[in-house]
Amino acid sequence: QVQLVESGGGLVQAGGSLRISCAASGRTFSGYAMGWFRQAPGKEREFVAAISWSGGTTYYADSVKGRFTISRDNAKNTVYLQMNGLKPEDTAVYYCAASEGNTATVRRSPRYWGQGTQVTVSS
């Protein structure tokens, strides 16, 4: 099993930046693609970004491309989401996810989920 714990959420003004982190622990980390999802009030959970095990492949939702950057540090078992140019519509609970396989796998059906961290962007 893999356990995922997010941190770094908070309140930020529109146009600001925030970096959230996901610390992974458990039996296996190598070989896992990682991703971020978010869920706003009254909305369905949506995909945000994904990264391959090696970090060589990334994929972003159109709504965040050019503003958000996903990265990972396997030595620290940690995945990051750097969020720049934040907008009020980015307000959501952000969830870390992991799956065996590639970025397509984690986008489609992640196996493991974190507890979520709240990101609120004020206008």
Side-chain angles (χ1 to χ4, degrees):
Q1 298 294 316
V2 174
Q3 294 80 47
L4 306 173
V5 180
E6 302 96 332
S7 62
L11 176 65
V12 63
Q13 289 187 320
S17 297
L18 198 66
R19 189 183 75 164
I20 55 177
S21 303
C22 173
S25 62
R27 181 176 176 271
T28 302
F29 187 72
S30 296
Y32 279 73
M34 305 290 293
W36 290 94
F37 292 72
R38 67 187 183 186
Q39 188 167 23
K43 304 294 184 182
E44 295 183 351
R45 189 171 298 187
E46 65 174 340
F47 168 77
V48 175
I51 187 167
S52 63
W53 168 54
S54 68
T57 301
T58 58
Y59 191 88
Y60 298 92
D62 288 342
S63 59
V64 306
K65 192 173 184 178
R67 300 188 297 121
F68 291 9
T69 303
I70 188 171
S71 62
R72 67 190 298 165
D73 185 343
N74 288 345
K76 297 181 178 179
N77 292 331
T78 302
V79 178
Y80 305 95
L81 186 67
Q82 178 67 47
M83 301 179 287
N84 299 327
L86 283 163
K87 306 174 181 179
E89 51 262 46
D90 295 319
T91 295
V93 177
Y94 283 71
Y95 296 91
C96 180
S99 290
E100 298 154 336
N102 55 25
T103 56
T105 302
V106 75
R107 280 160 39 215
R108 171 172 42 83
S109 57
R111 184 174 180 179
Y112 303 103
W113 294 92
Q115 84 288 352
T117 186
Q118 177 71 47
V119 173
T120 302
V121 184
S122 62
S123 60

